[in-house]
C-alpha cells in the first residue's frame, strides 16, 4: 500500500538576485523624483514613513528598480529584518496551492511573521476572490503591527479593475506615488549612466540622438544601447553616428511616427467628426459630441497610456469614473461593430501622420 503523500508546504519565495537595483544606480529626474524620495524615506525608516507605499506607472519606468532598491537598502541596514518580496502572480499561485493542499495556516505564518512585505505588480490579484481575501487579512495584520508594506502597479489603486473596494481604500491609506515617462534630460542621464556603468565609449552626440528619438521608457532606452554595442561588435566597426543610425534605424523609424500628445488626439478626432476641440472639452452631452469625446478618451488611454485622472483633466476636468465609463463603452462597441474598428484605424493614422 502506498503511503499518502505529505501535504505540500507553501513555496518559500526568494527574490531573484538584483543587487544592481540600488538607489545610487537609479537616475532621478522630474518624472520620478517624488517616487524616488518616498522610496528612500521608506528604506530609511521602514514602518515609520508612508505605510503602505504604493508606486505606480507604465511598464519599464523603474517601479521594480525602486522596489528592489528598498529591499537591498533595508537588508543592508537591518540584517535581522524578516523581509518577503513577491510578485502578485506568485502570491496568487501560493494562495491557490495552499487552498488546494490545505496549508493556508502555513501560508499565513510565512507572510504575517515578517517585518516588511514588498509586492511587485499587485494588480494581478484583482478579481481573484480567494487571493484578495487572503491579502486583505495579511495586509491588516502587518499594518496594525507597524510592519512596512510596499506595492507596485501599472495603475493607481482606484483604476485597477475588479479590485475590491476595501483593498483599494487600504492601498490609498498610505502614500500613492506615480512615475511618469522621463523627459529628455532624464533620458540622456539614463543613457550616460548606462554607458558609464558598462564602460562603453559612446559620444554624447549619439546618446543625445537616442534620447531625442526614444521617449517611451527606461527599458527601451537601455535596450537601444545594448543593440548598438552588439551591432558594433558583430560588424567590427566603431560606434559612430553613422553606425548608430544604422543599428537603431527601426527603433528611430518607429518613434518618428509616434509623436503623440493628448492635443494631437483631440485635434484628429475633432477634425474627423467636424467638431472643435472645445466641443470635446465642453459639458455638452448630446450624442453628436459624446461619442467623439468617448473615442478621444479611449485613444488617449490606448496610445499614450495616460491615467484616467489625467485624461479627465484634459477633457474639461471630468471625473475619472466618467472617463472609465467612456472607455468601457468604446471597448464594448468594438466587440460588436467592425465599422468602429475601421473608424478607429482611420483616426489613428490621422494622429500618427497629420497632414
Amino acid at each position: 500500500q502506498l503511503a499518502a503523500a505529505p501535504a505540500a508546504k507553501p513555496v518559500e519565495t526568494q527574490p531573484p538576485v538584483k543587487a544592481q537595483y540600488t538607489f545610487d544606480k537609479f537616475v532621478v529626474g522630474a518624472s520620478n523624483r517624488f517616487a524616488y524620495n518616498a522610496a528612500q524615506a521608506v528604506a530609511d525608516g521602514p514602518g515609520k514613513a508612508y505605510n503602505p507605499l504604493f508606486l505606480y506607472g507604465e511598464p519599464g519606468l523603474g517601479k521594480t528598480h525602486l522596489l528592489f532598491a528598498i529591499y537591498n537598502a533595508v537588508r543592508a541596514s537591518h540584517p535581522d529584518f524578516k523581509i518577503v518580496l513577491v510578485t502578485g502572480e506568485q502570491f496568487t499561485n501560493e494562495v491557490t496551492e495552499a487552498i488546494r493542499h490545505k496549508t493556508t495556516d502555513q501560508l499565513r505564518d510565512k507572510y504575517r511573521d515578517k517585518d516588511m512585505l514588498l509586492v511587485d505588480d499587485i494588480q494581478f490579484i484583482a478579481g481573484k476572490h480567494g487571493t484578495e481575501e487572503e491579502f486583505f487579512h495579511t495586509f491588516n495584520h502587518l499594518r496594525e503591527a507597524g510592519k512596512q508594506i510596499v506595492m507596485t502597479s501599472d495603475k493607481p489603486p482606484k483604476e485597477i479593475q475588479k479590485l475590491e473596494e476595501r483593498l483599494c481604500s487600504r492601498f490609498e491609506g498610505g502614500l500613492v506615488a506615480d512615475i511618469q515617462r522621463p523627459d529628455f534630460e532624464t533620458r540622456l542621464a539614463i543613457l550616460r549612466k548606462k554607458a558609464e556603468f558598462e564602460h562603453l565609449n559612446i559620444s554624447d552626440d549619439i546618446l543625445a540622438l537616442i534620447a531625442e528619438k526614444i521617449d517611451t521608457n527606461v527599458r527601451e532606452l537601455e535596450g537601444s544601447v545594448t543593440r548598438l554595442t552588439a551591432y558594433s561588435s558583430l560588424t567590427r566597426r566603431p560606434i559612430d553616428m553613422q553606425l548608430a543610425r544604422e543599428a537603431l534605424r527601426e527603433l528611430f523609424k518607429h518613434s518618428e511616427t509616434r509623436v503623440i500628445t493628448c492635443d494631437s488626439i483631440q485635434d484628429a478626432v475633432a477634425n474627423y467628426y467636424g467638431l472643435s476641440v472645445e466641443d470635446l472639452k465642453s459639458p455638452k452631452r448630446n450624442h453628436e459630441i459624446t461619442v467623439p469625446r468617448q473615442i478621444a478618451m479611449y485613444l488617449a488611454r490606448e496610445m499614450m497610456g495616460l491615467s484616467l485622472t489625467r485624461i479627465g483633466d484634459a477633457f474639461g476636468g471630468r471625473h475619472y469614473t466618467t472617463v472609465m465609463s467612456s472607455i468601457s463603452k468604446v471597448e464594448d462597441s468594438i466587440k460588436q461593430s467592425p465599422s468602429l474598428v475601421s473608424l478607429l484605424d482611420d483616426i489613428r493614422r490621422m494622429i500618427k501622420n497629420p497632414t
Side-chain angles (χ1 to χ4, degrees):
Q1 185 177 359
L2 294 175
K9 296 182 179 180
V11 178
E12 278 298 321
T13 304
Q14 295 295 332
V17 177
K18 292 188 178 180
Q20 75 276 19
Y21 282 6
T22 58
F23 285 112
D24 64 321
K25 290 186 175 66
F26 188 89
V27 178
V28 183
S31 60
N32 57 29
R33 182 171 286 107
F34 181 61
Y36 173 86
N37 288 340
Q40 190 141 53
V42 164
D44 291 342
K48 299 175 183 177
Y50 313 131
N51 196 17
L53 174 62
F54 192 101
L55 304 173
Y56 76 91
E58 297 174 38
L61 296 183
K63 302 184 300 295
T64 300
H65 187 138
L66 286 179
L67 195 72
F68 273 92
I70 293 171
Y71 173 84
N72 289 325
V74 174
R75 281 293 295 264
S77 61
H78 298 77
D80 57 327
F81 258 40
K82 290 179 286 185
I83 309 172
V84 61
L85 192 157
V86 67
T87 66
E89 182 177 10
Q90 288 171 326
F91 184 81
T92 299
N93 291 339
E94 289 188 40
V95 171
T96 301
E97 287 299 301
I99 293 172
R100 177 185 172 192
H101 296 289
K102 300 180 180 179
T103 58
T104 51
D105 287 343
Q106 293 160 271
L107 180 72
R108 287 164 189 165
D109 290 341
K110 171 187 172 180
Y111 279 98
R112 300 181 193 183
D113 181 31
K114 292 293 182 288
D115 297 297
M116 176 178 279
L117 172 62
L118 308 172
V119 187
D120 202 14
D121 291 327
I122 189 65
Q123 76 274 3
F124 192 86
I125 75 170
K128 301 171 178 68
H129 177 71
T131 303
E132 287 185 302
E133 180 76 17
E134 194 61 45
F135 192 80
F136 174 79
H137 294 295
T138 296
F139 182 101
N140 286 343
H141 179 89
L142 293 172
R143 181 71 181 82
E144 289 167 8
K147 307 303 184 182
Q148 182 68 53
I149 302 167
V150 184
M151 296 164 284
T152 74
S153 172
D154 59 353
K155 299 178 180 69
K158 61 187 176 185
E159 293 184 18
I160 300 176
Q161 293 187 359
K162 299 182 180 180
L163 182 69
E164 289 184 4
E165 180 59 35
R166 59 180 182 168
L167 279 174
C168 181
S169 64
R170 278 160 177 76
F171 292 175
E172 293 181 325
L175 179 66
V176 178
D178 71 324
I179 303 178
Q180 303 169 24
R181 291 187 181 186
D183 56 21
F184 173 80
E185 289 76 13
T186 306
R187 297 197 299 271
L188 182 56
I190 290 168
L191 291 169
R192 285 172 175 164
K193 192 92 170 181
K194 170 82 170 175
E196 178 186 350
F197 182 72
E198 297 190 3
H199 308 290
L200 303 174
N201 184 22
I202 305 176
S203 73
D204 244 20
D205 287 345
I206 294 174
L207 295 180
L209 174 68
I210 297 171
E212 178 187 343
K213 297 288 188 181
I214 300 176
D215 61 356
T216 48
N217 59 54
V218 178
R219 200 170 294 150
E220 191 169 345
L221 277 172
E222 294 185 337
S224 69
V225 174
T226 301
R227 179 181 174 86
L228 180 60
T229 54
Y231 194 88
S232 170
S233 175
L234 292 172
T235 60
R236 298 183 181 180
R237 293 163 55 193
I239 297 176
D240 55 21
M241 190 64 76
Q242 181 180 349
L243 181 115
R245 291 185 182 279
E246 284 180 28
L248 305 176
R249 180 173 54 247
E250 288 304 312
L251 288 177
F252 290 172
K253 182 180 178 182
H254 180 54
S255 68
E256 285 167 358
T257 62
R258 197 191 51 219
V259 182
I260 299 168
T261 65
C262 203
D263 287 342
S264 66
I265 291 173
Q266 290 172 336
D267 286 339
V269 173
N271 289 335
Y272 188 89
Y273 282 96
L275 303 171
S276 68
V277 172
E278 287 69 28
D279 286 329
L280 299 179
K281 296 181 180 180
S282 75
K284 297 176 184 176
R285 300 181 65 181
N286 51 305
H287 183 76
E288 292 75 13
I289 293 176
T290 299
V291 171
R293 182 187 295 133
Q294 290 170 346
I295 286 174
M297 290 179 175
Y298 170 83
L299 291 172
R301 180 73 162 183
E302 178 200 69
M303 302 181 77
M304 297 183 64
L306 293 179
S307 71
L308 301 181
T309 301
R310 291 192 181 179
I311 294 172
D313 290 342
F315 284 82
R318 284 175 162 77
H319 196 264
Y320 78 91
T321 54
T322 301
V323 179
M324 183 183 295
S325 174
S326 297
I327 293 172
S328 295
K329 288 177 181 176
V330 176
E331 290 173 340
D332 291 341
S333 297
I334 288 172
K335 298 172 186 176
Q336 304 168 8
S337 174
S339 62
L340 179 58
V341 174
S342 177
L343 180 152
L344 289 170
D345 284 340
D346 289 342
I347 297 177
R348 289 190 192 98
R349 280 191 287 271
M350 291 173 63
I351 293 167
K352 293 178 181 179
N353 300 290
T355 55

